[in-house]
Amino acid sequence: MLKHLLFLILMLPGAALANDWEALDTPGAFAIMRHALAPGTGDPANLTVGDCSTQRNLSQQGRDQATRIGQAFRDRGHRFDIVLSSQWCRCRDTAELLNLGPVEEVPAFNSFFQDFSTRDSQTAEALTHLADRSDRPFIVTHQVNIRALTGQTTRSGEVLIVRHAGDTLDVLGSILIDP
């Protein structure tokens, strides 16, 4: 009895981090991911899009995490037509390391952490970009953008399985592959 109780206690943290792979089978489902591990918060005041030396970037652990996440999707046979990414280096690098499809930078998925005044317009633009797509995208963006689009926060490298629902994205599940 004690062994069974110990087993259940040890399994609880893993159970809390559900990997809802089957949610990807839902019609209209696609993935939106917070970039892989990039230590720190926000970006330096001198951030310049396209200049990674002015940004917070993926650590080696984050680069490895992005590669493992992409491999996990490929191993399970999940395919995406395109990977849409923020222009920030940590997102673009994550998108490329996933190796799940061609990467397209989309400014609507850029972080607004330093300037929340653009939150509503960027969120509306992102939703418009996702509306009525005939392809299956995989999006790599930032925690603030995901929160605005879904109402949920995410950990670095966490993937939400979503579908477009008008002025929001409905969350169908979550996949987390630890760094």
Side-chain angles (χ1 to χ4, degrees), residues 77-104:
H78 293 293
R79 305 279 181 252
F80 298 89
D81 300 305
I82 192 162
V83 180
L84 305 175
S85 174
S86 159
Q87 294 175 300
W88 269 229
C89 294
R90 61 184 171 270
C91 289
R92 193 182 66 235
D93 291 347
T94 297
E96 290 174 7
L97 289 165
L98 290 169
N99 194 25
L100 291 173
V103 176
E104 177 186 319

